[in-house]
Amino acid sequence: MSKICVIGTGYVGLVTGVCFADLGNEVTCLDVDQTRIERLKQGIMPIYEPGLEQLVSQNVRAGRLAFTTDYRQALDGAEFAFIAVGTPSGVDGEADLQYVRMAAEAIADIAKGYLIIVNKSTVPVGTGDWITDIIRRRRNGTRPLLQFSVVSNPEFLREGSAINDFMYPDRIVLGSTDRQAASKVAELYVSLRCPILITDLRTAEMIKYASNAFLATRISFINEIANICEELGADVQEVALGMGYDKRIGPAFLDAGLGWGGSCFPKDVKALAHMAVLHGTQPQLLQAVMEINRNQRRRVVYKLRKALNNLDEKIIGILGLSFKPNTDDIREAPAIDLIHLLQNEGAIIQAYDPQAMENARQVLKRVKLCETPYEVAQGADALVLATEWNEFKQLDFERIYQLMRQPIIMDGRNLWNPEPLRSIGFTYFGVGRGADNHINNHQPET
Ligand code: NAD
Ligand code: UGA
């Protein structure tokens, strides 16, 4: 059992804290956001994440998990301080490190004894060394030197399956100049029985960016193929299936749609491209990956404009606002981009999401937020599926047909089988479904 302090109680910090507690450690989660901490103490989660509330309450009751805004209390006796604060995009796409700096400075000012500082935030290559410098500079002079080591431990969890991803990771990556410190962090994960790669700081930091950029590249690749499929009469879902059987390619992250969004892919691809330019290389592929992603949203607007002649005063219903299912996160959500593009052309928007309505209310203007998918369909000239929530899989399409002013469906995630919809009378558009065949879950021939 180790004593751990986790700085930041967002998606990564809170999940990290509760999972380490569940593995038997004594964890204190710290945040500068007082309201967030007060609510956490009352058992109210700041984010929607399946299974999180129950796991937090179990571990608080077991006395292994506590919340505070006080660095002194959080660092008291801690052997490890995990930094899990946000690293949003700055003006030029660079990662904004102000919160990491504040966390490092607070550690420098308050920590005592020997501390292993583990960085879980996604940070530019070189940040581990920068954290070391900040702490050294702040501790020299009259105060006693702080004994510490910095370890990079990038996080690969996905929102919506965060607890499962933490508990059953594909790998743990650790980077440090201090191998002993990295090995100590490795011990925290040993019961998870997965490969643990110990490398140097900069390589670990790069593994995180390269992984996210590669996943985003796969999605942009399949979206480009989808657009070609549409023109040439092929079906991108079957193309992806056929490609995915090849073990060298694999089936994951080949779903064509409205493109990638969320709090990480957009900012991380941008930050990697920014790092590349800053150091004199040309990130041509990354630029194309981002451009293809932007065009995926524009392409839907183009298709709708074509189907409806123009979008002025047309009522467009949007199903799904979060950047993907099983989360209430709307940061860089394709649905939000799409709504802005449609509003620019005069469209009137009505929308619904199972979890993201509160967040959406904060950022969307002139959008009617509805209680049900059927209210979204009411009087609409087109219905767009932006996020493939389970709840949208089985809708009463006969009812929706009756409710809509024009029966046009734009399935931005290829969730529905086009044939039954067409037989009801809908005009159906998917993404890359040029062959208009629905997929039959083909099994490989034996
Ligand atoms: P988040 O915005 O949900 O949470 C960050 C938290 O840190 C906030 O609660 C904020 O109040 C707190 N904070 C800011 N400054 C602080 C300080 N000085 N001291 C204490 N707390 C402070 O962020 P997130 O989504 O959890 O992401 C955190 C980092 O992890 C980012 O670098 C992100 O790129 C990376 N990451 C995120 C995910 C994900 O799925 N969200 C996955 C892997 C990696
Ligand atoms: C992603 C990575 O998958 C995590 O490994 C990583 O830790 C995290 O970013 C991060 O660094 O924050 P996340 O953003 O939660 O996780 O969500 P993903 O499941 O990766 O989806 C990202 C976006 O890609 C979503 O908008 C999703 O709809 C889209 N996507 C995903 C597709 O369009 N097609 C696919 O085949 C897969």
Side-chain angles (χ1 to χ4, degrees), residues 122 155-159 208 212 215 219 223 252-265 268 323-325 334 388 413:
T122 303
E155 178 53 63
F156 300 99
L157 63 76
R158 289 161 298 173
E159 292 179 22
K208 175 63 195 177
N212 272 3
L215 291 169
I219 302 168
N223 281 332
F253 277 70
L254 288 179
D255 291 331
L258 292 181
W260 38 272
S263 65
C264 291
F265 284 178
D268 293 347
F323 81 95
K324 66 172 193 176
E388 67 281 27
R413 296 290 174 183

PDB file of all heavy atoms in Angstrom, residues 122 155-159 208 212 215 219 223 252-265 268 323-325 334 388 413, ligand 2:
ATOM      1  N   THR A 122      -1.121  15.254 -20.486  1.00  0.00           N
ATOM      2  CA  THR A 122      -0.466  15.150 -21.794  1.00  0.00           C
ATOM      3  C   THR A 122       0.313  16.446 -22.031  1.00  0.00           C
ATOM      4  O   THR A 122      -0.290  17.521 -22.111  1.00  0.00           O
ATOM      5  CB  THR A 122      -1.526  14.936 -22.890  1.00  0.00           C
ATOM      6  OG1 THR A 122      -2.273  13.773 -22.553  1.00  0.00           O
ATOM      7  CG2 THR A 122      -0.873  14.766 -24.256  1.00  0.00           C
ATOM      8  N   GLU A 155      -1.332   8.923 -19.824  1.00  0.00           N
ATOM      9  CA  GLU A 155      -2.570   8.165 -19.596  1.00  0.00           C
ATOM     10  C   GLU A 155      -3.248   7.890 -20.938  1.00  0.00           C
ATOM     11  O   GLU A 155      -3.308   8.756 -21.788  1.00  0.00           O
ATOM     12  CB  GLU A 155      -3.490   8.991 -18.676  1.00  0.00           C
ATOM     13  CG  GLU A 155      -4.813   8.358 -18.388  1.00  0.00           C
ATOM     14  CD  GLU A 155      -4.665   6.930 -17.866  1.00  0.00           C
ATOM     15  OE1 GLU A 155      -4.071   6.741 -16.790  1.00  0.00           O
ATOM     16  OE2 GLU A 155      -5.138   5.998 -18.542  1.00  0.00           O
ATOM     17  N   PHE A 156      -3.755   6.666 -21.085  1.00  0.00           N
ATOM     18  CA  PHE A 156      -4.376   6.289 -22.360  1.00  0.00           C
ATOM     19  C   PHE A 156      -5.860   5.985 -22.234  1.00  0.00           C
ATOM     20  O   PHE A 156      -6.461   5.441 -23.156  1.00  0.00           O
ATOM     21  CB  PHE A 156      -3.643   5.075 -22.960  1.00  0.00           C
ATOM     22  CG  PHE A 156      -2.187   5.341 -23.220  1.00  0.00           C
ATOM     23  CD1 PHE A 156      -1.207   4.914 -22.340  1.00  0.00           C
ATOM     24  CD2 PHE A 156      -1.804   6.058 -24.344  1.00  0.00           C
ATOM     25  CE1 PHE A 156       0.144   5.176 -22.569  1.00  0.00           C
ATOM     26  CE2 PHE A 156      -0.461   6.338 -24.588  1.00  0.00           C
ATOM     27  CZ  PHE A 156       0.521   5.894 -23.697  1.00  0.00           C
ATOM     28  N   LEU A 157      -6.469   6.289 -21.069  1.00  0.00           N
ATOM     29  CA  LEU A 157      -7.880   5.941 -20.896  1.00  0.00           C
ATOM     30  C   LEU A 157      -8.767   6.756 -21.837  1.00  0.00           C
ATOM     31  O   LEU A 157      -8.395   7.830 -22.298  1.00  0.00           O
ATOM     32  CB  LEU A 157      -8.326   6.138 -19.442  1.00  0.00           C
ATOM     33  CG  LEU A 157      -8.295   7.524 -18.800  1.00  0.00           C
ATOM     34  CD1 LEU A 157      -9.431   8.416 -19.245  1.00  0.00           C
ATOM     35  CD2 LEU A 157      -8.339   7.358 -17.298  1.00  0.00           C
ATOM     36  N   ARG A 158      -9.924   6.174 -22.129  1.00  0.00           N
ATOM     37  CA  ARG A 158     -10.919   6.873 -22.955  1.00  0.00           C
ATOM     38  C   ARG A 158     -12.093   7.263 -22.077  1.00  0.00           C
ATOM     39  O   ARG A 158     -12.460   6.515 -21.165  1.00  0.00           O
ATOM     40  CB  ARG A 158     -11.471   5.950 -24.055  1.00  0.00           C
ATOM     41  CG  ARG A 158     -10.492   5.637 -25.137  1.00  0.00           C
ATOM     42  CD  ARG A 158     -10.929   4.406 -25.878  1.00  0.00           C
ATOM     43  NE  ARG A 158     -10.968   3.248 -24.972  1.00  0.00           N
ATOM     44  CZ  ARG A 158     -11.438   2.052 -25.308  1.00  0.00           C
ATOM     45  NH1 ARG A 158     -11.921   1.847 -26.503  1.00  0.00           N
ATOM     46  NH2 ARG A 158     -11.435   1.049 -24.439  1.00  0.00           N
ATOM     47  N   GLU A 159     -12.685   8.411 -22.352  1.00  0.00           N
ATOM     48  CA  GLU A 159     -13.893   8.784 -21.617  1.00  0.00           C
ATOM     49  C   GLU A 159     -15.000   7.810 -21.993  1.00  0.00           C
ATOM     50  O   GLU A 159     -15.073   7.330 -23.118  1.00  0.00           O
ATOM     51  CB  GLU A 159     -14.297  10.220 -21.976  1.00  0.00           C
ATOM     52  CG  GLU A 159     -13.287  11.213 -21.442  1.00  0.00           C
ATOM     53  CD  GLU A 159     -13.609  12.653 -21.787  1.00  0.00           C
ATOM     54  OE1 GLU A 159     -14.775  12.963 -22.073  1.00  0.00           O
ATOM     55  OE2 GLU A 159     -12.670  13.466 -21.758  1.00  0.00           O
ATOM     56  N   LYS A 208       2.792   9.315 -25.983  1.00  0.00           N
ATOM     57  CA  LYS A 208       1.401   9.764 -25.814  1.00  0.00           C
ATOM     58  C   LYS A 208       0.909  10.517 -27.054  1.00  0.00           C
ATOM     59  O   LYS A 208      -0.150  10.211 -27.610  1.00  0.00           O
ATOM     60  CB  LYS A 208       1.309  10.650 -24.565  1.00  0.00           C
ATOM     61  CG  LYS A 208      -0.044  11.265 -24.354  1.00  0.00           C
ATOM     62  CD  LYS A 208      -1.131  10.223 -24.115  1.00  0.00           C
ATOM     63  CE  LYS A 208      -2.510  10.826 -24.262  1.00  0.00           C
ATOM     64  NZ  LYS A 208      -3.572   9.848 -24.119  1.00  0.00           N
ATOM     65  N   ASN A 212      -2.031   9.202 -29.845  1.00  0.00           N
ATOM     66  CA  ASN A 212      -3.265   9.929 -30.168  1.00  0.00           C
ATOM     67  C   ASN A 212      -3.278  10.366 -31.631  1.00  0.00           C
ATOM     68  O   ASN A 212      -4.310  10.285 -32.300  1.00  0.00           O
ATOM     69  CB  ASN A 212      -3.430  11.144 -29.248  1.00  0.00           C
ATOM     70  CG  ASN A 212      -4.164  10.779 -27.965  1.00  0.00           C
ATOM     71  OD1 ASN A 212      -4.503   9.612 -27.745  1.00  0.00           O
ATOM     72  ND2 ASN A 212      -4.423  11.749 -27.118  1.00  0.00           N
ATOM     73  N   LEU A 215      -4.090   7.392 -33.865  1.00  0.00           N
ATOM     74  CA  LEU A 215      -5.513   7.021 -33.835  1.00  0.00           C
ATOM     75  C   LEU A 215      -6.340   8.027 -34.647  1.00  0.00           C
ATOM     76  O   LEU A 215      -7.237   7.641 -35.406  1.00  0.00           O
ATOM     77  CB  LEU A 215      -6.015   6.945 -32.385  1.00  0.00           C
ATOM     78  CG  LEU A 215      -5.432   5.778 -31.567  1.00  0.00           C
ATOM     79  CD1 LEU A 215      -5.767   5.926 -30.081  1.00  0.00           C
ATOM     80  CD2 LEU A 215      -5.935   4.428 -32.097  1.00  0.00           C
ATOM     81  N   ILE A 219      -8.665   7.462 -38.207  1.00  0.00           N
ATOM     82  CA  ILE A 219     -10.052   7.900 -38.420  1.00  0.00           C
ATOM     83  C   ILE A 219     -10.129   8.809 -39.655  1.00  0.00           C
ATOM     84  O   ILE A 219     -11.012   8.648 -40.498  1.00  0.00           O
ATOM     85  CB  ILE A 219     -10.612   8.611 -37.167  1.00  0.00           C
ATOM     86  CG1 ILE A 219     -10.533   7.684 -35.949  1.00  0.00           C
ATOM     87  CG2 ILE A 219     -12.059   9.036 -37.388  1.00  0.00           C
ATOM     88  CD1 ILE A 219     -10.788   8.375 -34.609  1.00  0.00           C
ATOM     89  N   ASN A 223     -12.183   8.114 -43.074  1.00  0.00           N
ATOM     90  CA  ASN A 223     -13.154   9.109 -43.544  1.00  0.00           C
ATOM     91  C   ASN A 223     -12.846   9.522 -44.988  1.00  0.00           C
ATOM     92  O   ASN A 223     -13.758   9.731 -45.783  1.00  0.00           O
ATOM     93  CB  ASN A 223     -13.182  10.319 -42.611  1.00  0.00           C
ATOM     94  CG  ASN A 223     -14.002  10.029 -41.365  1.00  0.00           C
ATOM     95  OD1 ASN A 223     -14.928   9.201 -41.395  1.00  0.00           O
ATOM     96  ND2 ASN A 223     -13.691  10.683 -40.265  1.00  0.00           N
ATOM     97  N   ALA A 252     -10.022  -1.834 -34.994  1.00  0.00           N
ATOM     98  CA  ALA A 252     -10.414  -0.677 -34.171  1.00  0.00           C
ATOM     99  C   ALA A 252     -10.132   0.655 -34.864  1.00  0.00           C
ATOM    100  O   ALA A 252      -9.238   0.770 -35.697  1.00  0.00           O
ATOM    101  CB  ALA A 252      -9.667  -0.721 -32.839  1.00  0.00           C
ATOM    102  N   PHE A 253     -10.929   1.648 -34.507  1.00  0.00           N
ATOM    103  CA  PHE A 253     -10.746   3.022 -34.995  1.00  0.00           C
ATOM    104  C   PHE A 253     -10.795   3.138 -36.514  1.00  0.00           C
ATOM    105  O   PHE A 253     -10.030   3.863 -37.129  1.00  0.00           O
ATOM    106  CB  PHE A 253      -9.462   3.636 -34.411  1.00  0.00           C
ATOM    107  CG  PHE A 253      -9.722   4.181 -33.030  1.00  0.00           C
ATOM    108  CD1 PHE A 253      -9.965   3.318 -31.975  1.00  0.00           C
ATOM    109  CD2 PHE A 253      -9.791   5.543 -32.794  1.00  0.00           C
ATOM    110  CE1 PHE A 253     -10.282   3.800 -30.709  1.00  0.00           C
ATOM    111  CE2 PHE A 253     -10.102   6.034 -31.529  1.00  0.00           C
ATOM    112  CZ  PHE A 253     -10.349   5.155 -30.486  1.00  0.00           C
ATOM    113  N   LEU A 254     -11.724   2.381 -37.081  1.00  0.00           N
ATOM    114  CA  LEU A 254     -11.964   2.488 -38.522  1.00  0.00           C
ATOM    115  C   LEU A 254     -13.436   2.784 -38.799  1.00  0.00           C
ATOM    116  O   LEU A 254     -13.967   2.400 -39.824  1.00  0.00           O
ATOM    117  CB  LEU A 254     -11.543   1.191 -39.239  1.00  0.00           C
ATOM    118  CG  LEU A 254     -10.046   0.925 -39.356  1.00  0.00           C
ATOM    119  CD1 LEU A 254      -9.771  -0.396 -40.072  1.00  0.00           C
ATOM    120  CD2 LEU A 254      -9.342   2.071 -40.116  1.00  0.00           C
ATOM    121  N   ASP A 255     -14.107   3.443 -37.837  1.00  0.00           N
ATOM    122  CA  ASP A 255     -15.507   3.818 -38.066  1.00  0.00           C
ATOM    123  C   ASP A 255     -15.571   5.194 -38.704  1.00  0.00           C
ATOM    124  O   ASP A 255     -15.202   6.198 -38.076  1.00  0.00           O
ATOM    125  CB  ASP A 255     -16.287   3.853 -36.737  1.00  0.00           C
ATOM    126  CG  ASP A 255     -16.465   2.460 -36.156  1.00  0.00           C
ATOM    127  OD1 ASP A 255     -16.507   1.492 -36.934  1.00  0.00           O
ATOM    128  OD2 ASP A 255     -16.540   2.341 -34.916  1.00  0.00           O
ATOM    129  N   ALA A 256     -16.071   5.212 -39.938  1.00  0.00           N
ATOM    130  CA  ALA A 256     -16.230   6.500 -40.622  1.00  0.00           C
ATOM    131  C   ALA A 256     -17.398   7.249 -40.000  1.00  0.00           C
ATOM    132  O   ALA A 256     -18.307   6.648 -39.438  1.00  0.00           O
ATOM    133  CB  ALA A 256     -16.489   6.257 -42.097  1.00  0.00           C
ATOM    134  N   GLY A 257     -17.367   8.562 -40.078  1.00  0.00           N
ATOM    135  CA  GLY A 257     -18.461   9.336 -39.489  1.00  0.00           C
ATOM    136  C   GLY A 257     -18.217  10.824 -39.631  1.00  0.00           C
ATOM    137  O   GLY A 257     -17.648  11.288 -40.626  1.00  0.00           O
ATOM    138  N   LEU A 258     -18.616  11.555 -38.596  1.00  0.00           N
ATOM    139  CA  LEU A 258     -18.452  13.018 -38.607  1.00  0.00           C
ATOM    140  C   LEU A 258     -17.049  13.444 -38.219  1.00  0.00           C
ATOM    141  O   LEU A 258     -16.772  14.631 -38.069  1.00  0.00           O
ATOM    142  CB  LEU A 258     -19.432  13.655 -37.626  1.00  0.00           C
ATOM    143  CG  LEU A 258     -20.914  13.575 -37.959  1.00  0.00           C
ATOM    144  CD1 LEU A 258     -21.730  14.275 -36.891  1.00  0.00           C
ATOM    145  CD2 LEU A 258     -21.180  14.212 -39.303  1.00  0.00           C
ATOM    146  N   GLY A 259     -16.193  12.444 -37.959  1.00  0.00           N
ATOM    147  CA  GLY A 259     -14.818  12.782 -37.592  1.00  0.00           C
ATOM    148  C   GLY A 259     -14.616  12.785 -36.090  1.00  0.00           C
ATOM    149  O   GLY A 259     -15.552  12.627 -35.322  1.00  0.00           O
ATOM    150  N   TRP A 260     -13.362  12.970 -35.710  1.00  0.00           N
ATOM    151  CA  TRP A 260     -12.998  12.892 -34.298  1.00  0.00           C
ATOM    152  C   TRP A 260     -13.162  14.248 -33.607  1.00  0.00           C
ATOM    153  O   TRP A 260     -12.957  15.296 -34.188  1.00  0.00           O
ATOM    154  CB  TRP A 260     -11.585  12.367 -34.107  1.00  0.00           C
ATOM    155  CG  TRP A 260     -10.585  12.832 -35.118  1.00  0.00           C
ATOM    156  CD1 TRP A 260     -10.324  12.226 -36.318  1.00  0.00           C
ATOM    157  CD2 TRP A 260      -9.725  13.982 -35.065  1.00  0.00           C
ATOM    158  NE1 TRP A 260      -9.358  12.935 -37.000  1.00  0.00           N
ATOM    159  CE2 TRP A 260      -8.971  14.008 -36.244  1.00  0.00           C
ATOM    160  CE3 TRP A 260      -9.516  14.974 -34.122  1.00  0.00           C
ATOM    161  CZ2 TRP A 260      -8.022  14.992 -36.518  1.00  0.00           C
ATOM    162  CZ3 TRP A 260      -8.570  15.974 -34.390  1.00  0.00           C
ATOM    163  CH2 TRP A 260      -7.836  15.961 -35.581  1.00  0.00           C
ATOM    164  N   GLY A 261     -13.550  14.152 -32.318  1.00  0.00           N
ATOM    165  CA  GLY A 261     -13.638  15.347 -31.497  1.00  0.00           C
ATOM    166  C   GLY A 261     -13.136  15.005 -30.115  1.00  0.00           C
ATOM    167  O   GLY A 261     -12.363  14.063 -29.934  1.00  0.00           O
ATOM    168  N   GLY A 262     -13.598  15.773 -29.128  1.00  0.00           N
ATOM    169  CA  GLY A 262     -13.220  15.474 -27.749  1.00  0.00           C
ATOM    170  C   GLY A 262     -12.167  16.411 -27.223  1.00  0.00           C
ATOM    171  O   GLY A 262     -11.653  17.285 -27.930  1.00  0.00           O
ATOM    172  N   SER A 263     -11.820  16.186 -25.962  1.00  0.00           N
ATOM    173  CA  SER A 263     -10.897  17.111 -25.306  1.00  0.00           C
ATOM    174  C   SER A 263      -9.452  16.775 -25.635  1.00  0.00           C
ATOM    175  O   SER A 263      -8.554  17.506 -25.238  1.00  0.00           O
ATOM    176  CB  SER A 263     -11.108  17.061 -23.795  1.00  0.00           C
ATOM    177  OG  SER A 263     -10.761  15.781 -23.317  1.00  0.00           O
ATOM    178  N   CYS A 264      -9.219  15.666 -26.351  1.00  0.00           N
ATOM    179  CA  CYS A 264      -7.813  15.288 -26.540  1.00  0.00           C
ATOM    180  C   CYS A 264      -7.316  15.220 -27.973  1.00  0.00           C
ATOM    181  O   CYS A 264      -6.322  15.862 -28.282  1.00  0.00           O
ATOM    182  CB  CYS A 264      -7.551  13.990 -25.800  1.00  0.00           C
ATOM    183  SG  CYS A 264      -7.645  14.294 -24.030  1.00  0.00           S
ATOM    184  N   PHE A 265      -7.964  14.444 -28.843  1.00  0.00           N
ATOM    185  CA  PHE A 265      -7.412  14.332 -30.203  1.00  0.00           C
ATOM    186  C   PHE A 265      -7.184  15.709 -30.839  1.00  0.00           C
ATOM    187  O   PHE A 265      -6.075  15.981 -31.329  1.00  0.00           O
ATOM    188  CB  PHE A 265      -8.318  13.484 -31.106  1.00  0.00           C
ATOM    189  CG  PHE A 265      -8.226  11.990 -30.869  1.00  0.00           C
ATOM    190  CD1 PHE A 265      -9.031  11.120 -31.597  1.00  0.00           C
ATOM    191  CD2 PHE A 265      -7.337  11.440 -29.963  1.00  0.00           C
ATOM    192  CE1 PHE A 265      -8.970   9.744 -31.400  1.00  0.00           C
ATOM    193  CE2 PHE A 265      -7.263  10.082 -29.752  1.00  0.00           C
ATOM    194  CZ  PHE A 265      -8.085   9.228 -30.478  1.00  0.00           C
ATOM    195  N   ASP A 268      -4.311  17.533 -29.060  1.00  0.00           N
ATOM    196  CA  ASP A 268      -3.018  16.841 -29.088  1.00  0.00           C
ATOM    197  C   ASP A 268      -2.421  16.805 -30.500  1.00  0.00           C
ATOM    198  O   ASP A 268      -1.201  16.942 -30.664  1.00  0.00           O
ATOM    199  CB  ASP A 268      -3.154  15.424 -28.517  1.00  0.00           C
ATOM    200  CG  ASP A 268      -3.464  15.449 -27.014  1.00  0.00           C
ATOM    201  OD1 ASP A 268      -3.330  16.519 -26.392  1.00  0.00           O
ATOM    202  OD2 ASP A 268      -3.855  14.395 -26.465  1.00  0.00           O
ATOM    203  N   PHE A 323     -19.204  14.397 -27.582  1.00  0.00           N
ATOM    204  CA  PHE A 323     -18.265  14.100 -28.683  1.00  0.00           C
ATOM    205  C   PHE A 323     -18.227  12.621 -29.050  1.00  0.00           C
ATOM    206  O   PHE A 323     -17.711  12.241 -30.098  1.00  0.00           O
ATOM    207  CB  PHE A 323     -16.867  14.650 -28.380  1.00  0.00           C
ATOM    208  CG  PHE A 323     -16.021  13.800 -27.472  1.00  0.00           C
ATOM    209  CD1 PHE A 323     -15.110  12.886 -27.990  1.00  0.00           C
ATOM    210  CD2 PHE A 323     -16.124  13.925 -26.096  1.00  0.00           C
ATOM    211  CE1 PHE A 323     -14.316  12.105 -27.160  1.00  0.00           C
ATOM    212  CE2 PHE A 323     -15.340  13.144 -25.250  1.00  0.00           C
ATOM    213  CZ  PHE A 323     -14.445  12.229 -25.783  1.00  0.00           C
ATOM    214  N   LYS A 324     -18.802  11.795 -28.147  1.00  0.00           N
ATOM    215  CA  LYS A 324     -18.971  10.370 -28.420  1.00  0.00           C
ATOM    216  C   LYS A 324     -19.956   9.830 -27.379  1.00  0.00           C
ATOM    217  O   LYS A 324     -20.278  10.557 -26.420  1.00  0.00           O
ATOM    218  CB  LYS A 324     -17.639   9.627 -28.363  1.00  0.00           C
ATOM    219  CG  LYS A 324     -17.024   9.595 -26.988  1.00  0.00           C
ATOM    220  CD  LYS A 324     -15.827   8.684 -26.991  1.00  0.00           C
ATOM    221  CE  LYS A 324     -15.385   8.395 -25.570  1.00  0.00           C
ATOM    222  NZ  LYS A 324     -14.296   7.461 -25.506  1.00  0.00           N
ATOM    223  N   PRO A 325     -20.447   8.603 -27.520  1.00  0.00           N
ATOM    224  CA  PRO A 325     -21.424   8.119 -26.540  1.00  0.00           C
ATOM    225  C   PRO A 325     -20.805   7.880 -25.160  1.00  0.00           C
ATOM    226  O   PRO A 325     -19.582   7.783 -25.023  1.00  0.00           O
ATOM    227  CB  PRO A 325     -21.883   6.774 -27.129  1.00  0.00           C
ATOM    228  CG  PRO A 325     -21.382   6.747 -28.516  1.00  0.00           C
ATOM    229  CD  PRO A 325     -20.211   7.641 -28.607  1.00  0.00           C
ATOM    230  N   PRO A 334     -18.092  16.997 -32.556  1.00  0.00           N
ATOM    231  CA  PRO A 334     -18.501  17.237 -33.938  1.00  0.00           C
ATOM    232  C   PRO A 334     -19.902  17.850 -34.026  1.00  0.00           C
ATOM    233  O   PRO A 334     -20.151  18.722 -34.853  1.00  0.00           O
ATOM    234  CB  PRO A 334     -18.482  15.839 -34.560  1.00  0.00           C
ATOM    235  CG  PRO A 334     -17.459  15.093 -33.765  1.00  0.00           C
ATOM    236  CD  PRO A 334     -17.558  15.641 -32.374  1.00  0.00           C
ATOM    237  N   GLU A 388     -23.551   8.331 -31.597  1.00  0.00           N
ATOM    238  CA  GLU A 388     -24.236   7.035 -31.676  1.00  0.00           C
ATOM    239  C   GLU A 388     -24.564   6.440 -30.304  1.00  0.00           C
ATOM    240  O   GLU A 388     -24.100   5.357 -29.944  1.00  0.00           O
ATOM    241  CB  GLU A 388     -23.433   6.059 -32.552  1.00  0.00           C
ATOM    242  CG  GLU A 388     -22.075   5.591 -32.029  1.00  0.00           C
ATOM    243  CD  GLU A 388     -20.924   6.572 -32.199  1.00  0.00           C
ATOM    244  OE1 GLU A 388     -21.152   7.795 -32.256  1.00  0.00           O
ATOM    245  OE2 GLU A 388     -19.770   6.106 -32.247  1.00  0.00           O
ATOM    246  N   ARG A 413     -23.178   8.582 -38.191  1.00  0.00           N
ATOM    247  CA  ARG A 413     -22.336   7.548 -37.570  1.00  0.00           C
ATOM    248  C   ARG A 413     -22.653   6.159 -38.110  1.00  0.00           C
ATOM    249  O   ARG A 413     -22.249   5.158 -37.495  1.00  0.00           O
ATOM    250  CB  ARG A 413     -22.517   7.562 -36.039  1.00  0.00           C
ATOM    251  CG  ARG A 413     -22.055   8.839 -35.360  1.00  0.00           C
ATOM    252  CD  ARG A 413     -20.541   8.993 -35.368  1.00  0.00           C
ATOM    253  NE  ARG A 413     -20.130  10.286 -34.840  1.00  0.00           N
ATOM    254  CZ  ARG A 413     -18.863  10.688 -34.800  1.00  0.00           C
ATOM    255  NH1 ARG A 413     -17.894   9.929 -35.254  1.00  0.00           N
ATOM    256  NH2 ARG A 413     -18.561  11.865 -34.314  1.00  0.00           N
TER     257      ARG A 413
HETATM  258  C1  UGA B   2      -8.813   9.254 -26.825  1.00  0.00           C
HETATM  259  C2  UGA B   2      -7.940   8.007 -26.901  1.00  0.00           C
HETATM  260  O1  UGA B   2      -8.701   6.929 -27.456  1.00  0.00           O
HETATM  261  C3  UGA B   2      -7.422   7.629 -25.525  1.00  0.00           C
HETATM  262  O2  UGA B   2      -6.523   6.518 -25.638  1.00  0.00           O
HETATM  263  C4  UGA B   2      -6.663   8.819 -24.924  1.00  0.00           C
HETATM  264  O3  UGA B   2      -6.226   8.534 -23.625  1.00  0.00           O
HETATM  265  C5  UGA B   2      -7.576  10.025 -24.891  1.00  0.00           C
HETATM  266  O4  UGA B   2      -8.056  10.305 -26.230  1.00  0.00           O
HETATM  267  C6  UGA B   2      -6.859  11.242 -24.418  1.00  0.00           C
HETATM  268  O5  UGA B   2      -5.692  11.393 -24.619  1.00  0.00           O
HETATM  269  O6  UGA B   2      -7.568  12.028 -23.824  1.00  0.00           O
HETATM  270  P1  UGA B   2     -11.299   9.789 -26.078  1.00  0.00           P
HETATM  271  O7  UGA B   2     -11.010  11.161 -26.573  1.00  0.00           O
HETATM  272  O8  UGA B   2     -11.948   9.606 -24.762  1.00  0.00           O
HETATM  273  O9  UGA B   2      -9.946   8.943 -26.032  1.00  0.00           O
HETATM  274  O10 UGA B   2     -12.252   9.090 -27.125  1.00  0.00           O
HETATM  275  P2  UGA B   2     -12.093   8.073 -28.349  1.00  0.00           P
HETATM  276  O11 UGA B   2     -12.900   6.879 -28.069  1.00  0.00           O
HETATM  277  O12 UGA B   2     -10.701   7.864 -28.749  1.00  0.00           O
HETATM  278  O13 UGA B   2     -12.824   8.899 -29.499  1.00  0.00           O
HETATM  279  C7  UGA B   2     -12.305  10.139 -29.959  1.00  0.00           C
HETATM  280  C8  UGA B   2     -13.123  10.647 -31.121  1.00  0.00           C
HETATM  281  O14 UGA B   2     -12.922   9.839 -32.274  1.00  0.00           O
HETATM  282  C9  UGA B   2     -14.639  10.646 -30.861  1.00  0.00           C
HETATM  283  O15 UGA B   2     -15.188  11.842 -31.376  1.00  0.00           O
HETATM  284  C10 UGA B   2     -15.149   9.461 -31.650  1.00  0.00           C
HETATM  285  O16 UGA B   2     -16.474   9.603 -32.095  1.00  0.00           O
HETATM  286  C11 UGA B   2     -14.176   9.455 -32.828  1.00  0.00           C
HETATM  287  N1  UGA B   2     -14.007   8.121 -33.459  1.00  0.00           N
HETATM  288  C12 UGA B   2     -13.444   7.105 -32.758  1.00  0.00           C
HETATM  289  C13 UGA B   2     -14.391   7.952 -34.781  1.00  0.00           C
HETATM  290  O17 UGA B   2     -14.899   8.887 -35.432  1.00  0.00           O
HETATM  291  N2  UGA B   2     -14.192   6.717 -35.365  1.00  0.00           N
HETATM  292  C14 UGA B   2     -13.629   5.677 -34.694  1.00  0.00           C
HETATM  293  O18 UGA B   2     -13.472   4.591 -35.306  1.00  0.00           O
HETATM  294  C15 UGA B   2     -13.250   5.867 -33.353  1.00  0.00           C
END
